[in-house]
Amino acid sequence: MPHLTPADVSRLLSDVYALSVAEIDPLPGEYDLNFRVRTADSQGYVLKVMHPSRALAEIDLQCRALLYAAEHAPGLTLPQPKATPNGDYITPYRLSDDETRLVWMLSWVPGKVMANVRPHSPELLDSLGAWLGQLTTALAGFTHPAAQRIYKWDIAQAGWIGDYLHHIRDDGRRTLVQGILADFHQRLLPALQQTPRNVIHADANDYNVIVDDRGKYPWRVSSVIDFGDLMDTYRVYDVAVACAYAILDKPDPLAAMVQVVAGYHTHCPLTEAEIALIFPLVQMRLAISVTNSAFRQVEVPDDPYVVISERPAWAAL
């Protein structure tokens, strides 16, 4: 990906959105270039300059899902795509290196990422589950061709990690993940196939969860960002992913998990069959995460983003 200077970003925003910019700050991302933008009239946005491998349909999926969810759950605070003066949400833009990238922009959601909030009170964890439950319910009728995709984070396709376990160098850790994977094939996946499907967010990690810390403690989750993992898969996987990250660095992981599930169940009632699968789904999500980190460290050994949750994930496993 090219390096974009503030001047490059300012020119892009003027060309595409006819906006005058007062402040530009880079944001982290595994593949894409992301910038927090504050305009001259004090509006906040996140500008996204996509990796060349990103398909237009993947971005359209996110835009359409966000617009749909806002319509069906108007009480949720959601980032919303910003249209250009021509009414487009996604624009091909030629950068200074003469390469063309897809660019789009979302409204900025104020607050603090959950990773930077301590402690994680029971009320905060309950509100995380409640927020996701409302989102899942809002997306219940949503469909999009790009939501049906081959994707490494889809739990239905998680068997891929079997070919990458050799990247986990520690024998004990590798054996642990092998056991989780065997249970996935023998028990978890067949049981999952009997449960409801939905388009889900699928990535409520603590860097994607926004907390409103302005009022009195205990604080509450106000939003979830980064809809790049949207997919049509088994509904219960959404709350399991949230649990997998909510238990990291917790002295009582099960209690944290229970709080998230309780909040979710209030707004998106789960069946007994789904509830029974949450614990092994959490194990499998963590197994995917640590295997992906081990593999990605070989590909990009100097990128701290790919190992950001590796240590607490191993501890949780």
Side-chain angles (χ1 to χ4, degrees), residues 107-313:
S107 57
W108 175 262
V109 177
K112 186 178 291 186
V113 295
M114 191 169 168
N116 295 334
V117 172
R118 289 293 184 274
H120 291 172
S121 68
E123 293 84 357
L124 178 63
L125 296 174
D126 184 277
S127 71
L128 168 59
W131 198 97
L132 283 173
Q134 293 175 77
L135 177 65
T136 303
T137 300
L139 290 173
F142 176 75
T143 60
H144 192 288
Q148 309 277 349
R149 54 175 170 163
I150 298 173
Y151 197 45
K152 68 180 180 180
W153 295 107
D154 182 0
I155 192 64
Q157 304 171 47
W160 70 266
I161 70 170
D163 294 330
Y164 293 85
L165 295 183
H166 62 278
H167 291 292
I168 301 174
R169 301 303 183 188
D170 183 271
D171 291 344
R173 288 180 166 182
R174 188 169 59 255
T175 299
L176 174 60
V177 175
Q178 285 171 335
I180 293 170
L181 180 60
D183 184 68
F184 168 79
H185 287 301
Q186 295 165 13
R187 186 176 67 90
L188 179 54
L189 187 56
L192 266 177
Q193 291 167 346
Q194 308 305 313
T195 64
R197 296 181 68 97
N198 209 98
V199 172
I200 61 171
H201 179 275
D203 193 21
N205 71 67
D206 50 2
Y207 285 89
N208 287 340
V209 176
I210 304 299
V211 176
D212 183 354
D213 63 343
R214 294 170 295 180
K216 292 183 178 179
Y217 183 85
W219 300 314
R220 302 294 198 279
V221 168
S222 59
S223 189
V224 173
I225 59 173
D226 191 350
F227 284 68
D229 282 1
L230 275 171
M231 65 183 84
D232 184 341
T233 189
Y234 300 104
R235 176 180 69 177
V236 67
Y237 185 47
D238 209 23
V239 69
V241 171
C243 287
Y245 291 100
I247 68 174
L248 301 183
D249 289 324
K250 297 293 191 302
D252 189 346
L254 189 58
M257 195 184 303
V258 166
Q259 290 294 336
V260 177
V261 174
Y264 187 93
H265 184 69
T266 299
H267 295 276
C268 184
L270 296 161
T271 66
E272 289 191 22
E274 288 177 299
I275 293 170
L277 296 175
I278 292 173
F279 191 91
L281 279 171
V282 169
Q283 290 182 303
M284 192 61 200
R285 173 64 182 214
L286 292 171
I288 298 169
S289 180
V290 296
T291 304
N292 184 67
S293 291
F295 166 60
R296 292 282 291 155
Q297 284 179 70
V298 175
E299 284 193 323
V300 281
D302 298 323
D303 187 352
Y305 187 88
V306 303
V307 296
I308 198 166
S309 298
E310 185 182 30
R311 180 200 58 75

